[in-house]
């Protein structure tokens, strides 16, 4: 076969999809492992793999409807067909280009099978899939926890790439930026834009803002005002650290990843904000003094980020969720010891799993009777506060404005 333009990007997308589904990698990590592609080709490969992950159960149902014998889940033929359908549905790629770039991926293999199945599906007409199914085990878990309406909202949201949220140190500047650049502001210090190349947006080089999902900005908003000694645990890549520094707190930002702390250091320099950075494992590190406030944005399954990272729905199996919850409990207990009497501890996770949120807090309060939940005061008007006093962000909230990542957060006070 002669060289066909675009095959290299599709080959890279195949490699990424395989790394995610068979080796459990994140799409970012799988993409970083791909070399020797131009910038546009690399971006295209990531987009194709991402679109395949957004609608994988529906694509598989289509493929199964056109084959006499079911293809193995990890077969190359199924993988290539998934990528071709992803381009058709998610990227609007012309059908002749789908076929021309798919077949070279199976040279020396099931070329006739892929050609036949793809031709059959294209002749039938591929549906738009505006609300594709999630993995069956995820739907069952979320339906049990949150109900069918949330599952339906999650289906709608995973089909769309989310907008871009920016955080500002100054609300007046945020409002002016939104007006000047066709954005909307859904909360103080916030601007939402249609997705764009971040580094080319006005104000990037000057450090006027940083990228941060609106839901991810909420935990730091629970920290009460006034300059305080504050510990940001598991801080990198640093959106919350920058929020807290911009609010005037003396922030110590701790993270166990030196490379992620390097990104935080660069972001602090770009935004002209200051924080003390500590490269350490929170399970081993000991502070010299107690803190007025602590923000524990704990490592978690990250299932709430499925709009941006659809692969989490395939990586976050029950075992991963349980292991994350165990680590969260350990971090929670250590943070409790480092808080002054009367101080506040904000716990948050970008997870839609009760084991990492509501159940985690209930267990913590049983172990630490000297802590109590402190209801948020004056949160953004869209923020739902439960009868217990915590915040749970679910799919469907602000859907008409572009939606939010799934989150759980709570503010606790140490009574003494």
């Amino acid at each position: 076969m002669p060289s066909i333009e675009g095959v290299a990007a599709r080959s890279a997308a195949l490699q990424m999809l395989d790394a995610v589904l068979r080796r459990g990698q994140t799409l970012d990590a799988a993409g970083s492992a791909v070399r020797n592609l131009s910038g546009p080709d690399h971006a295209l490969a990531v987009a194709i793999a991402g679109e395949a992950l957004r609608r994988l159960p529906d694509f598989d149902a289509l493929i199964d409807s056109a084959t006499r014998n079911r293809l193995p889940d990890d077969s190359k033929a199924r993988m290539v067909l998934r990528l071709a359908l992803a381009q058709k549905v998610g990227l609007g790629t012309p059908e002749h280009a789908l076929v021309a770039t798919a077949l070279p991926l199976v040279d020396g293999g099931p070329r006739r099978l892929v050609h036949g199945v793809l031709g059959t599906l294209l002749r039938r007409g591929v549906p738009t899939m505006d609300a594709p199914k999630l993995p069956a085990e995820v739907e069952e878990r979320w339906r049990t926890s949150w109900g069918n309406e949330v599952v339906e909202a999650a289906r709608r949201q995973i089909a769309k790439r989310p907008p871009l949220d920016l955080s500002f140190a100054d609300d007046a500047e945020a409002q002016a930026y939104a007006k000047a650049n066709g954005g909307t502001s859904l909360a103080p210090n916030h601007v939402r834009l249609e997705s764009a190349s971040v580094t080319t947006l006005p104000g990037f080089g000057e450090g006027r803002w940083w990228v941060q999902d609106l839901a991810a900005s909420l935990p730091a908003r629970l920290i009460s005002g006034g300059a305080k000694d504050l510990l940001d645990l598991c801080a990198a890549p640093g959106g919350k650290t920058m929020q807290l520094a911009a609010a005037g707190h003396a922030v110590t930002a701790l993270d166990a990843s030196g490379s992620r702390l390097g990104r935080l250091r660069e972001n602090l320099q770009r935004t002209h904000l200051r924080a003390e950075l500590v490269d350490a494992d929170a399970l081993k590190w000991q502070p010299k003094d107690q803190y007025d406030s602590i923000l524990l944005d704990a490592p978690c399954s990250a299932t709430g980020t499925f709009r941006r990272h659809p692969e989490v729905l395939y990586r976050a199996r029950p075992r991963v969720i349980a292991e994350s919850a165990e680590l969260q409990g350990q971090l929670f207990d250590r943070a409790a010891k480092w808080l002054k009497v009367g101080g506040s501890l904000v716990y948050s996770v970008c997870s839609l799993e009760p084991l990492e949120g509501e159940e985690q807090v209930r267990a913590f309060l049983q172990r630490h009777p000297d802590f109590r939940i402190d209801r948020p005061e004056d949160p953004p008007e869209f923020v739902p506060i439960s009868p217990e006093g915590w915040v749970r962000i679910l799919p469907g909230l602000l859907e008409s404005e572009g939606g939010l990542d799934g989150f759980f957060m709570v503010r606790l006070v140490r009574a003494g």
Side-chain angles (χ1 to χ4, degrees):
M1 284 288 294
S3 176
I4 298 174
E5 184 177 359
V7 171
R10 275 71 174 185
S11 180
L14 179 62
Q15 181 180 333
M16 294 176 195
L17 188 62
D18 181 74
V20 168
L21 295 178
R22 288 208 304 123
R23 299 200 295 277
Q25 294 186 8
T26 66
L27 187 54
D28 285 345
S32 297
V34 172
R35 301 284 189 266
N36 302 321
L37 276 183
S38 67
D41 273 354
H42 192 278
L44 176 59
V46 172
I48 293 171
E51 291 298 328
L53 290 163
R54 291 181 187 281
R55 299 173 175 86
L56 204 68
D58 283 25
F59 289 156
D60 281 347
L62 277 181
I63 293 166
D64 292 344
S65 74
T67 56
R68 181 174 300 157
N69 298 313
R70 192 179 188 282
L71 300 172
D73 286 342
D74 60 352
S75 68
K76 193 171 188 180
R78 183 180 290 276
M79 291 286 196
V80 170
L81 288 165
R82 287 165 168 170
L83 294 176
L85 292 170
Q87 294 168 73
K88 170 67 175 176
V89 176
L91 302 178
T93 304
E95 293 183 1
H96 66 85
L98 301 181
V99 177
T101 54
L103 296 183
L105 301 181
V106 284
D107 273 352
R111 180 184 173 92
R112 290 182 61 187
L113 172 63
V114 169
H115 197 182
V117 172
L118 188 54
T120 296
L121 294 176
L122 293 177
R123 284 193 299 273
R124 288 180 185 171
V126 179
T128 56
M129 302 183 189
D130 294 330
K133 292 180 180 178
L134 311 179
E137 61 272 21
V138 175
E139 290 203 354
E140 181 180 357
R141 198 169 67 234
W142 290 359
R143 188 174 286 111
T144 299
S145 298
W146 313 120
N148 196 57
E149 287 188 10
V150 168
V151 172
E152 294 296 328
R155 286 180 175 182
R156 294 190 297 270
Q157 290 194 354
I158 200 170
K160 303 173 185 176
R161 279 170 285 182
L164 182 69
D165 288 333
L166 308 180
S167 286
F168 287 74
D170 179 74
D171 185 51
E173 185 170 12
Q175 303 305 317
Y177 192 95
K179 184 176 181 180
N181 294 282
T184 57
S185 181
L186 301 174
N189 304 83
H190 167 264
V191 172
R192 173 162 287 185
L193 303 170
E194 290 300 316
S195 293
S197 174
V198 171
T199 57
T200 61
L201 287 173
F204 173 81
E206 299 86 347
R208 294 171 58 192
W209 46 261
W210 57 93
V211 176
Q212 185 180 31
D213 185 84
L214 177 56
S217 78
L218 297 177
R221 296 173 188 264
L222 299 187
I223 299 290
S224 54
K228 297 179 179 180
D229 289 327
L230 191 147
L231 175 63
D232 184 7
L233 275 175
C234 312
K240 299 174 183 67
T241 299
M242 289 183 280
Q243 279 183 276
L244 297 167
H249 299 291
V251 183
T252 299
L254 182 143
D255 202 277
S257 170
S259 60
R260 285 164 58 86
L261 275 178
R263 288 175 55 197
L264 173 52
R265 184 175 290 105
E266 292 172 1
N267 281 326
L268 287 169
Q269 292 172 348
R270 184 177 63 83
T271 55
H272 314 292
L273 295 169
R274 297 186 55 156
E276 179 185 351
L277 304 188
V278 178
D279 184 353
D281 182 346
L283 295 179
K284 300 176 181 177
W285 177 75
Q286 289 288 348
K288 295 179 180 178
D289 300 299
Q290 291 181 314
Y291 291 88
D292 298 311
S293 295
I294 297 175
L295 172 57
L296 172 56
D297 186 40
C300 69
S301 65
T303 51
T305 68
F306 70 93
R307 301 181 310 145
R308 302 177 193 279
H309 305 288
E311 74 273 17
V312 300
L313 301 184
Y314 298 91
R315 300 179 68 244
R317 306 291 186 185
R319 178 181 59 81
V320 171
I321 295 169
E323 290 174 352
S324 295
E326 183 177 354
L327 173 60
Q328 291 150 16
Q330 294 172 5
L331 292 169
F332 221 162
D333 289 343
R334 289 183 70 79
K337 299 175 183 178
W338 303 337
L339 187 69
K340 294 178 181 177
V341 172
S344 60
L345 167 59
V346 173
Y347 170 83
S348 64
V349 283
C350 55
S351 168
L352 285 165
E353 315 305 327
L355 186 63
E356 299 181 279
E358 291 85 350
E359 294 179 30
Q360 189 70 247
V361 172
R362 291 189 181 104
F364 175 86
L365 291 174
Q366 287 184 343
R367 297 193 303 272
H368 299 272
D370 54 331
F371 278 76
R372 62 174 176 81
I373 294 175
D374 189 27
R375 291 179 66 86
E377 300 172 2
D378 302 319
E381 61 181 18
F382 65 85
V383 173
I385 303 176
S386 74
E388 296 86 352
W390 54 57
V391 174
R392 166 57 77 182
I393 305 296
L394 292 170
L397 188 64
L398 293 186
E399 185 174 359
S400 61
E401 288 83 15
L404 296 168
D405 282 355
F407 249 90
F408 174 88
M409 64 204 74
V410 64
R411 183 172 65 198
L412 304 165
V413 171
R414 186 176 185 181

